Amino acid sequence: MLLLPFFFTRTTCLCLLSILLLAGVCRAQEVESKKDSLKAAPTDSLRPKFDERVMSNLRQISQRKTIMGKLLKAVLVFDRRDEEVYGLDAELIERENERHNYKVVRRIDIRTLNAFGYSIHDTARVPQTFFEKAGNSLHMKTRHRLIRNKLLFRSNEYLEPLALVESERLLRQTSYLLDARIVVNEATSTEDSVDVFIVTKDVFSLGGSGSYSPSSGAGRVAVRELNFLGLGHQLRSSYRFNMDRPRPWEATGAYTVENISNSYISADIIYANENFYKERSAFLRRDFFSMNTKYAGAIGTKWADEQVLMPPVATDSLFYRKNVVYTQHDAWLGRAFKFKTYNLGFEPRARTILAMRFIKTNYTTTPSPSFQSNTLVLGSIGYSVRRYFKDRYLFGFGRTEDVPAGSLFSVTYGYQKGALKDRYYFSTEGSFAKYHPSFGYFFGKAAYGSFVYNNQLEQGVLDLETMYFTKLSEWGNWKLRHYIIGRGTFGVNRYPEELLTINNESGLRGFRSDFVRGSKRIAINYEANLYTPFSLFGFRLATVAFADAAWLSTGNKSSPLKTKPYTGFGIGFRFRNEYLSFSTIQILFNYYPKGPPLQNFNNFRMYNSTRPYYDFADFRFTQPGVTEFQ
């Protein structure tokens, strides 16, 4: 497969792999030599570090007039240095800002930086190269009005607790901004007023990706604009062609308008025209974007035409597809309440949330009586505690990232009025996370939900999830982090057509089969990310090694662990340029010892993707809903 607009030949990949393997061997030899040298003589404190020696040797090779030298000079950047980053101690910053609570904001100064050549940590830095200046000339810098619309404080108003740190987090989570800092000018601050300075750095908002297979002629082209005309609007589209499907092409598109008139209400329009799924939808939504948000909700409508996979009608037959066509109207509203405090310097983080949701679904084409037109009314009560920490090299390649920690508990009860039968619904969910730079991050979640009809459980599901990643280990400019994820999904009295898969994000990355399905699933995933000091065409390079295992079974009394697991192992590369809106590019080489039955399956596979395999779970309350079985 070829990735556009950036593609890598086999020679380049093999050379890079050889370089990294050589670096690993050198590292191992260095450790052995150190063990021997401890017995013979003391180590030389002036000896260059391992990564410095590797980079120095590669730099010398790149200066030679050989094919390898020219190749290294073309693809590697040797002068990249990690910036010294200030402001990663979120708790310290919060304590420093507490003394400014309820002071009047006299003035707000904003400085926006272009995507290339500037640094948010050194505002005196300016673009130096032709490519940095050319890239900035093609980029429309974010307008100050968009930055002000994201702020939770205003000039000539009192500064509410958490307003500074929450505004900085909201700016940093904006898709067209790479990073943001909000500081109080201590030199001009008084006992009753403050001046605030804000600096943000853009990403190059126009981006895209693509793939092409010369053997089949199939490919994909995707284009995105995250800051259309500098207005903060987002446009995404993709097109697939020459596919080996009933129809050779597919197209999708989405348009988003964020934070309309500083209300934090966003509008989404989605269009999808795929072989097995078609959708047209429009929604207005407002989330609990901040801990001080009182109201949230959404309203919208959706039309969908989906071909669902039906179970075999006989033991010797295969899965087959049938159409489901429906229209759905959806609305919900939530209200958050905070606990009273008589300490003006302290802002409680706990919130109690009450919410109601109304869903009306009308089916026009159904494959079985399991799909009935219905009206579902849900009510929820939740308890949420949120806080955020700052770190780097989690899912990004050096940018500041907000790590959510806290807890969330909710209980939902509802009633469904159906065309064929009426039934009740209940669910409960609890999750928590802890984080410390010296320990890492641990997340745990448990949820259960089910419909009840004639005192019998229907379409029940128990969902368990845990994730842990280690602290960041560093050797000079080399950085290593490990990730472990465990997930369990157990269906209770599910309908025959409701089955789980282990495809890609559901179990084994790069794995795809319609014949491996079940009603209970356990998946364990391990991954190690080594962030290197190398840069390829401006993209930071990381190597990844992973191991996946998944178990499946069918039936209420079955156990997934009594079946032989499907496993996947692999290594690969991950590329990312933090200054561009491109997603992370992954090229993985996978091996699956066990293939699916009744299918011509290649046990070795090269898998390229731009989608992240995992992400953080925030602890803000979302809309009341039915526990998902997927």
Side-chain angles (χ1 to χ4, degrees), residues 42-309:
T43 58
D44 186 1
S45 61
L46 299 179
R47 184 181 181 184
K49 294 181 179 179
F50 164 71
D51 62 291
E52 294 176 352
R53 298 201 307 273
V54 172
M55 295 300 291
S56 177
N57 292 336
L58 292 177
R59 186 194 298 270
Q60 293 177 8
I61 296 175
S62 69
Q63 294 173 351
R64 300 173 183 173
K65 296 182 179 180
T66 61
I67 296 177
M68 177 60 72
K70 293 180 180 180
L71 176 63
L72 290 178
K73 189 174 182 179
V75 302
L76 294 181
V77 178
F78 296 98
D79 297 325
R80 182 183 295 276
R81 292 290 184 269
D82 284 340
E83 298 177 347
E84 186 176 359
V85 179
Y86 302 97
L88 283 183
D89 192 337
E91 290 187 279
L92 176 61
I93 294 174
E94 185 178 321
R95 289 195 299 270
E96 291 177 348
N97 289 334
E98 283 180 354
R99 65 175 180 269
H100 299 303
N101 288 344
Y102 299 108
K103 291 184 180 180
V104 175
V105 179
R106 285 195 309 255
R107 181 174 176 178
I108 301 175
D109 293 317
I110 299 175
R111 181 178 181 184
T112 56
L113 303 177
N114 249 318
F116 302 106
Y118 294 95
S119 171
I120 199 170
H121 311 292
D122 181 8
T123 55
R125 183 180 298 182
V126 295
Q128 299 290 337
T129 67
F130 166 79
F131 294 103
E132 290 176 341
K133 296 177 182 179
N136 289 334
S137 66
L138 299 175
H139 172 67
M140 184 171 292
K141 194 162 61 172
T142 300
R143 301 177 183 181
H144 287 191
R145 177 178 59 84
L146 295 180
I147 304 299
R148 292 185 184 275
N149 283 347
K150 289 284 185 177
L151 302 181
L152 302 179
F153 55 91
R154 294 288 180 267
S155 298
N156 301 318
E157 294 183 2
Y158 289 107
L159 188 62
E160 296 288 336
L162 302 178
L164 293 176
V165 292
E166 282 288 275
S167 296
E168 182 180 305
R169 179 182 64 83
L170 292 173
L171 287 172
R172 193 161 41 245
Q173 292 180 348
T174 303
S175 58
Y176 48 83
L177 295 179
L178 174 66
D179 206 345
R181 288 290 184 272
I182 299 180
V183 296
V184 173
N185 189 340
E186 300 292 349
T188 62
S189 295
T190 65
E191 294 183 356
D192 59 358
S193 62
V194 294
D195 295 330
V196 179
F197 177 69
I198 302 171
V199 57
T200 65
K201 180 176 172 61
D202 287 2
V203 299
F204 191 76
S205 58
L206 178 62
S209 61
S211 62
Y212 179 73
S213 174
S215 59
S216 63
R220 172 183 173 272
V221 178
V223 178
R224 74 185 69 177
E225 171 56 71
L226 301 181
N227 193 3
F228 185 61
L229 298 179
L231 300 173
H233 299 187
Q234 301 176 19
L235 177 64
R236 294 179 171 87
S237 63
S238 67
Y239 180 76
R240 295 179 181 269
F241 55 91
N242 293 337
M243 302 175 64
D244 185 19
R245 294 285 179 90
R247 191 185 63 193
W249 63 271
E250 294 180 346
T252 62
Y255 191 82
T256 300
V257 180
E258 285 191 338
N259 196 15
I260 300 172
S261 299
N262 196 32
S263 63
Y264 272 91
I265 296 176
S266 299
D268 299 297
I269 299 176
I270 298 175
Y271 168 84
N273 191 350
E274 302 174 348
N275 275 273
F276 303 130
Y277 184 77
K278 298 177 177 61
E279 177 186 341
R280 289 105 170 110
S281 63
F283 277 87
L284 290 174
R285 56 179 172 83
R286 187 179 195 264
D287 302 323
F288 286 108
F289 55 90
S290 168
M291 282 180 281
N292 291 330
T293 305
K294 292 183 179 180
Y295 292 96
I299 185 170
T301 185
K302 169 184 174 181
W303 174 89
D305 182 350
E306 183 177 0
Q307 292 190 23
V308 297
L309 209 58

Side-chain angles (χ1 to χ4, degrees), residues 339-389:
F339 296 94
K340 288 185 178 181
T341 177
Y342 298 98
N343 184 356
L344 294 179
F346 172 76
E347 178 70 8
R349 294 180 175 274
R351 299 291 186 271
T352 300
I353 303 99
L354 298 177
M356 289 286 295
R357 187 179 181 187
F358 171 88
I359 310 172
K360 183 176 178 60
T361 306
N362 182 33
Y363 289 94
T364 56
T365 303
T366 60
S368 72
S370 302
F371 298 83
Q372 62 163 347
S373 298
N374 66 84
T375 299
L376 177 62
V377 179
L378 298 171
S380 292
I381 181 171
Y383 176 81
S384 172
V385 179
R386 285 193 281 169
R387 68 180 309 114
Y388 296 89
F389 299 87

Side-chain angles (χ1 to χ4, degrees), residues 604-615:
F604 291 91
R605 183 173 298 183
M606 188 179 80
Y607 172 62
N608 57 73
S609 172
T610 60
R611 298 180 60 183
Y613 192 68
Y614 39 73
D615 200 355

